Amino acid sequence: MIRFLENFSLKQNNTFNINVLAKYYFEFTEPSELDLFFQSNKIWKDEKIFILGGGSNLLFTRNFNGLIIHPNVPGINVINEDRQNIWIEVGAGEEWDEFVQHCVFSEFAGIENLSLIPGKVGAVPIQNIGAYGCEIGNFIETVNGYNLEKNEVFELPGSLCKFGYRDSIFKNEFKGKVIVNSVVFKLEKFPEFDLSYGTLEKEVKKLGDINLRNVRQAVINIRSVKLPDVKEISNAGSFFKNPVVEVLTGKKLRKEFPDIPLYSVDKKYTKLAAGWLIEQCGWKGYREGDAGVHEKQALVLVNYGNATGSEIFQLSEKIKKSVFEKFGVVLEPEVNVI
Ligand code: EPU
C-alpha cells in the first residue's frame, strides 16, 4: 500500500512534534512499490530526498522542500535457526520496542538491554542504537534495502556496515543514498546477560531471578525514571553524543573536576558523559518558552508544546557553547538536525 501526499505536515511523524511541511511525502509497505515509484517517476531523482523512520532521532528546523520517503514495511519472520541461534527478518516499519518485547517473550536473547528505545526498526542500524552496554550492530546479520543511485535492491552483511558508537556506513558513505526495507537479526537461544552498566544488575535483582523478562523490566524501570516518555513530553532522546576525547584530555579534566565520569574506550580514547557536562553548566531543568532541558536527564532536550525546531536548535547551540567554554569539549548532536 502506498500513500502519496503534497504539503504534508510532519508533526505526527517526529517525536519532537515540530510542525513543518514536506513538499512531497511518499509512504510504502512493499519494497516493490518503492522500485515502481522510482522507475515510473524518474523526476523524483532531482528532488532533495530524506528517508524518515519513526522520527525519534531528528529535529526539523524548517519546512522540507523535497521528497520525504517513509518505509513502512511490516513483518517479523523467522528465516533460519540452529541449536544456538535464530535469525529473524523484521520490516523497517515495525516498532522497535514491540520487536524487543516479542523476542523477550519468545525467549530470544541479545537485545533485551535495548528495551523501550523509541523508533522503528529501519532506523536501528543507521545510528547503531545502544544502551546499557549493548549495541545493536553486534546482532545485525544483514541489512536489506534499495540503492537510490543504482536503482536496485541491496543486501549488506552487518560486518560491512561499519558500525561504531552511534555511527554506521548509513550515516556516512550511504547517507541519503539508500533506503532500509528490512533488517535480519541474529539472536541467541541461550542468554548471556550483560548487567554491568550502572545500576542494571541491582535493578534486576530487585525483581527476582536474572532472566530475559526481568532484564527487560529493569531497563524499562531505569529508563522511565530518567528519560521523558515521548507520549508525555516531546523529545528525541539524547540530543548530543557522549564526546570521545584522548585519554590525556580525560586525565587533565579529572584533575580539575574530580567527579567527572570517564568511560574507558581503548588505550587512546576515553568517553565523557555529555549529560554530566551539561548539568555542571547549570542547564538541567532550564526552560526558554517551550524549549527546554529535561529536569532529570540533561542530555535530553524537550519541546513542552509549541517550540519551533529552530528554537530547540538555538538552545542546543547555547549549551554547546557553554560546555566548550567550561570544559574545552565540543559536543556533537546525536540527533539528525535538518
Ligand atoms: N549524568 C549527570 N547528569 C545528567 C545526566 C547524566 O550527571 O543530567 C551523569 C550520570 O550520573 C552518569 C553519566 O552522566 O554518571 C551517564 O549518564 P547515563 O547513565 O544516564 O547515560 P548517558 O551517557 O547520559 C547514554 C545514552 C542513552 C542510553 C544511556 C544508558 C548516548 C548519547 N546516550 O546516556 O541513549 O539510554 O546511556 O545506556 O550515548 C539515546 O541515545 O537517545 C539515549 C537515551
Side-chain angles (χ1 to χ4, degrees), residues 130-133 165-166 197 223 226-227 236-238 240-242 261 263 273 275-276 279 284 296-299 334:
Y132 308 102
Y165 168 61
R166 296 295 198 277
Y197 188 95
R223 287 185 78 93
K226 274 196 182 171
L227 295 167
S238 303
F240 297 102
K241 289 191 205 180
N242 283 332
Y263 304 97
W276 186 89
E279 182 174 347
K284 200 170 186 171
K296 294 193 190 122
Q297 166 53 294
L299 193 46
E334 201 242 318

Side-chain angles (χ1 to χ4, degrees), residues 2 4 26 32-45 146 151:
I2 66 156
F4 182 74
F26 176 72
S32 58
E33 293 164 343
L34 178 68
D35 197 25
L36 200 66
F37 179 74
F38 280 112
Q39 300 298 346
S40 55
N41 302 275
K42 294 235 175 327
I43 192 163
W44 296 123
K45 288 283 166 61
Y146 189 82
N151 266 330

Side-chain angles (χ1 to χ4, degrees), residues 56-57 113 117-118 127 129-134 165-166 197-198 222-223 226-227 235-243 259-263 271-280 284 293-300 334-335:
S56 58
N57 198 47
N113 288 23
I117 294 180
Q127 60 144 348
I129 60 166
Y132 308 102
C134 174
Y165 168 61
R166 296 295 198 277
Y197 188 95
I222 298 172
R223 287 185 78 93
K226 274 196 182 171
L227 295 167
N235 74 89
S238 303
F239 193 91
F240 297 102
K241 289 191 205 180
N242 283 332
D259 298 335
I260 192 169
L262 299 177
Y263 304 97
K271 202 168 3 174
L272 309 176
W276 186 89
L277 302 173
I278 296 168
E279 182 174 347
Q280 297 303 307
K284 200 170 186 171
V293 179
H294 189 56
E295 52 188 15
K296 294 193 190 122
Q297 166 53 294
L299 193 46
V300 178
E334 201 242 318
V335 301

